[in-house]
Amino acid sequence: VERKPRPLAADADGGTRLPSVVSFPPSGARFVGSVARRRRPIDPRNTIYSFKRIIGENWHAATGDEFKKTYPFRLVNDDGTPRFSTRQGDFSATEIATMVVQALCENSVLDPQGCGAVVGVPSGFRDFQREATREAVLGAGFETVEVLDEPVATALVSIAQDLRAFAYVSAWDCKTKEEVVAYRENFGAREVMVIWPEFQNWDTVTSATVTAS
């Protein structure tokens, strides 16, 4: 099967990697990526990075306390949620993450409307961190989001590149075949995710007889 190359996302400098940095300059604009990263030395309190370290955390978490001591940002307590105080307003780590995903979509050919996303996170991420990550990607306009451990997400991308399409059945946090069977039996919607090689979207189907055309 012949595969067409997918255009890679490029930032304002023409780079194909987008650093997770957001800067809020005095002009009222918003910079994301390498342009924002260059502003760290000159505008440290309004250039936000490493925000994923506290995504989903509450104000009193030990991780958040250490974060406040390490980074130059001004954090404010919004009913238990830490927010970065910038000249353009106060934003949670989840909202900053949404800005990064939005910029990635804007700089690429990817339109999130009607599409799903597969997101890789560190295997040590706890449930509330995974949920906050999911909310960040949904906030960028994606219809559905699967949050997977990074090794699993990487494997799915590799498979998608080699095959025309393949079916992926969710088995969240299962460690054995017996746990998988029990999980699927108790799962309400027995959906199967059909992932396409471009890895831009997928369809969910309820019948194993549905195949890629």
Side-chain angles (χ1 to χ4, degrees), residues 1-207:
V1 177
E2 180 181 0
R3 295 198 305 266
K4 296 181 179 180
R6 175 191 169 193
L8 296 175
D11 62 16
D13 289 342
T16 57
R17 293 186 178 183
L18 191 71
S20 295
V21 185
V22 180
S23 185
F24 302 93
S27 65
R30 180 196 301 165
F31 298 141
V32 181
S34 60
V35 176
R37 185 168 57 186
R38 288 201 299 270
R39 293 186 55 80
R40 283 176 52 177
I42 62 174
D43 197 7
R45 296 190 73 173
N46 293 280
T47 302
I48 313 303
Y49 57 94
S50 294
F51 52 87
K52 287 177 281 188
R53 294 178 181 272
I54 60 168
I55 193 166
E57 294 276 6
N58 63 48
W59 178 260
H60 301 289
T63 304
D65 289 340
E66 186 62 30
F67 190 90
K68 298 166 202 171
K69 298 175 184 176
T70 305
Y71 295 94
F73 321 123
R74 180 170 179 261
L75 291 176
V76 296
N77 184 354
D78 180 15
D79 195 25
T81 298
R83 290 184 176 273
F84 296 93
S85 182
T86 76
R87 60 168 57 92
Q88 292 186 29
D90 300 340
F91 305 99
S92 68
T94 299
E95 291 168 334
I96 296 292
T98 294
M99 296 175 192
V100 173
V101 178
Q102 288 173 332
L104 182 65
C105 294
E106 291 169 2
N107 294 341
S108 70
V109 297
L110 178 59
D111 180 2
Q113 298 299 321
C115 293
V118 176
V119 181
V121 298
S123 56
F125 255 31
R126 288 167 284 181
D127 288 346
F128 66 84
Q129 294 171 305
R130 293 169 184 268
E131 182 56 33
T133 302
R134 186 192 314 277
E135 291 174 4
V137 180
L138 288 172
F142 285 91
E143 187 172 306
T144 58
V145 178
E146 278 281 323
V147 179
L148 304 174
D149 288 347
E150 287 172 344
V152 178
T154 301
L156 290 179
V157 171
S158 177
I159 294 171
Q161 289 175 339
D162 291 335
L163 301 178
R164 182 170 179 271
F166 73 99
Y168 165 70
V169 182
S170 175
W172 183 81
D173 204 33
C174 294
K175 303 295 190 301
T176 67
K177 289 188 290 185
E178 291 74 18
E179 289 179 352
V180 171
V181 172
Y183 174 83
R184 297 308 302 176
E185 287 178 347
N186 294 322
F187 196 70
R190 289 171 171 76
E191 86 287 2
V192 175
M193 189 181 301
V194 180
I195 302 180
W196 302 90
E198 292 83 4
F199 221 63
Q200 293 186 21
N201 61 45
W202 59 71
D203 300 319
T204 55
V205 298
T206 55
S207 171

